[in-house]
Each structure stands twice: as structure tokens, then as C-alpha cells.
Amino acid sequence: MPRRQSIHGHWSSRLAFVLAASGSAVGLGNIWRFPYITGEQGGGAFVLVYLLCVALVGLPVMMAEVLLGRRGRRNPIESMRMLSEEESGSGKWRLVGVLGVITGLLILSYYAVIASWTLAYVVEAARGAFTGADAATSRQLFEALEKDPLRMLAWFTLFLATAGWIVARGVAAGLERAVKLFMPLLLVLLLALVGYSLTTGDAGAAFAFLFDFGSHAIDGQMLLVAMGQAFFALSVGMGALMAYAAYLPQQTSIGGTAVTVAAANTVVSLLAGLIVFPLVFAHGLEAGQGPALVFHTLPIAFGQIPGGGFVGALFFLLLVFAALMSTLALLEPAVVWLVEQHDLRRGVAAFAVCGFVWLLGLATVASFGDVALLRLPHGGWYDMIEHATSNVLLPLGGLLIALFAGWVMCKNSTVEELDMGVGLRYDLWRMLLRFVAPLVLGFVLVCALGLCDAR
Ligand code: TRP
């Protein structure tokens, strides 16, 4: 089959794609969501299930998603339609792309709100609000932000506008170069913070909490949440990687790239856990308190270390940058789809998509800010959208991707595209994709939809 070309050009190298994919993968999912979810799930056993989910389901599905994107070379909707036609499948497979576009926008409607907390914390750190912070002051600091919907809205608007501007100007490729500088810097800061936390916090309790794998019985609910977190952190299941892979050079190894991205991503999550939990236990914070966890703990660390204001501001700034790169990935399927299929200019498409996300995000802001007008129970809207995206829509997208690449596509097509021969590694991938992923994801979905008692 003659190779298709993307109409938007290609990544210049394998490195460029690795950077873009890790830029998309590393973000709030690792540093904000992983610790808080792990805290809620009680640690140990959950961490083990999470690692298994990444290795046995997340990674194979990630490879499949990249494979489909590169073979299709269009926006996810159109790629799925064309590939399905080629493999004599049904035209309905294009709905996988539609589902992805919707999922991405729903995720963004709260992702950008959390990113705006991060943005607000850059300023808090720089103005010295963390100095000498203890558990009580850092909680007050966060509550002041949360109870001020207008301030949250302002930061939220600024964050989305920046993302929209970058997409509209098409300068994202320029930012990939910044990833090369910022990601290592973020890693260095994370390592330094791990050092600080382990030496001053309760390292013993944190290790026991995170790595005592036998701590709890494993149940369906835990598997469900772990699977959702694995997909979320890896950016798998909604077509973002598919959209990025459309620009991937033909000779790049998909397997090698996916392993690199997944491993780096998992390391960042574990480091975040090693920063947060020693402080949680040393300062008597509640591990299972939910989405505010890192915002309650990190200021304590920055408040104690010399130059903490500066280091804190730098840290939150890098985190904003990481969130921004993830946001670009979440926007990409919707924007490229509008550009390719509806002939919108990129600027108009970016404006339309960001405007839509902004409107949706208002509900998230209101839900955290307890805006009485909307009569939403505290966090109600957030909890709902969060559950729907991570625990239902991402696993559903992943399941469909696995079924398509594993069962609809003929073996030769996948062998050709993965280009790693037909040895043990290929067989293992195909087996995980055809059997393990659908079984686990199917089970997870049944639980998520409340069709079984997961406990
Ligand atoms: N993985 C990102 C993070 O951890 C978030 C993200 C970006 C994402 N693209 C995605 C999540 C696609 C799900 C699907 O912060």
C-alpha cells in the first residue's frame, strides 16, 4: 500500500515525537492526580495494580493508538474511517474518533481549572505566601482560592486563552523545543524535592504507604480507578496520541517510543508520590482528602526550605508548562478535525474549541467555588465529569482501539506498521491487545457503569 502523508508535515525526528508525546503525557495527571488518587485508594495495593495496568494494558493500547494514528495520518475521526474502510470494517469505527474529541473537551473542562490553581500558586509562591507555612496555613491559602470563584475564573480564563493562542498561532512545534529544556528541569526539581521530603518528612511511613503492596485486598473498584489513572496519565484512549502520531516519521519504532514515554511518565508519578506522602504523614494531613492534596502539601515544603519562594514559583511554573503541553494534546483532535473536515482556519478552530471548553469549565469553577446560584453540591459536577471521563470514556476509547487494532485490522497491517518483526515481542503485544486489554477494560466498564458490585 502506498504510504499516506500527513497534510501538516512531519515531526523532524523521533526525538521530536518523544518530546511531544511525553509533553502530552507528563502533566497534572502525574503530579496532582496520581498522589491524590493513591491517597484516596489507600496506597500500596493500588500502586501495584496501577503499575500492572500501565504495563499490561496502558502500554499495548498506547502502541495501538500510535500505530493507528501513523497509518491513518489524518485527524482521529478521519483516520479511523479510512483505516476501517481499508480493513473492510464498518464506517461506524469513525465514532471512536468522535468519542475522543468529546472526551478531550470534557477532560479539559476540569483540567484547565486545576491548571489555573497551579498558575495562581506561581504568584502565591513568588509573593512569599508559603513562608513558614504549616498544615493549617497552607489549607487556608487553598481555601481562600477555592472560595473565590472570580479569582479562579480569571486564572482559568488566562490559562485557556494562552493555550488557545498557542494553538491558533500554530507555534506548538516551537514549544516542543522548550520541552527539551523544561522537562529535565522539572525532573531535577522533583528529585530535589524528593530529597527534601524524604529527609525532613516521614519517609518510613511514606514508603510503607506506597510500596506495601499487600496493604489492602484488591477489588474491582480499585482496578477501575487504577485503569482510569493509567490511561489518564499516559494520555491514552482519546485520540490525542493518534493525532500526534499522524506526524510521526515512518521509520520510527513505535514500540521503543511507547516504552520510553510510559516509563518516564511512571517515574514522574512515583516521584510525586515520594514528595507528597512523607509530608502528609509528618504534618498530620489527610492522605485521602481528594483533589486539593498537593496544594495542601507542597507549600509546606516550599515554606521551610531556604529560597522556597523562588523554588516554589519555579516549580509551579514548570508545572503550568507541563499542563499547557498536555492541554495542547487534549485540544489537538478537535482542532485538527475542524481544520481538516470543515475547512476552518486554525485560528477560528482554536477559538471555537477553547470557547466551548471555557463554557463547560464554568461549571467546574462553580462546583469548586460552591456557587450557590447553581445549587451544585460541593464538587458534584467535578466528581461527575471526572468519573465519566477517566473511568468510563477513556477505558471505552481504549477498549475500542484495542478491538480495532487487535481484531478488525489484519495481522499483516499491524506487523507492517509496528515494524518489529514477528517474534516474541510482537506476539506478546498482540496477545495483550486482543485478550488481556479487552477483558480488563470490559470488566472495568461494567463496574464503572454500576452494573456490578465492584466491592
Ligand atoms: N496525560 C496528561 C497528564 O497526565 C493529561 C492528558 C493529556 C490526557 N492528553 C490526554 C489525558 C489525553 C487523557 C487523554 O496530565
Side-chain angles (χ1 to χ4, degrees), residues 24-30 107 111 231-236 238 240 326 329-330 394:
S24 139
V26 173
L28 297 170
N30 310 82
I107 290 180
Y111 197 84
F231 275 30
F232 190 94
L234 293 173
S235 306
V236 165
M238 55 85 35
S326 301
L330 287 160
L394 288 180

Side-chain angles (χ1 to χ4, degrees), residues 22 39 58 64 77 84 99 104 109 123 144 148 189 212 230 269 273 342 390 432 454:
S22 358
I77 300 178
S84 183
L99 183 79
S109 77
V123 177
D148 190 349
L189 272 189
D212 176 5
S269 293
H342 297 275
S390 298
L432 289 172

Side-chain angles (χ1 to χ4, degrees), residues 240-262:
L241 287 175
M242 214 189 280
Y244 274 7
Y247 320 131
L248 185 61
Q250 200 59 48
Q251 61 284 7
T252 305
S253 143
I254 291 179
T257 310
V259 170
T260 312
V261 173

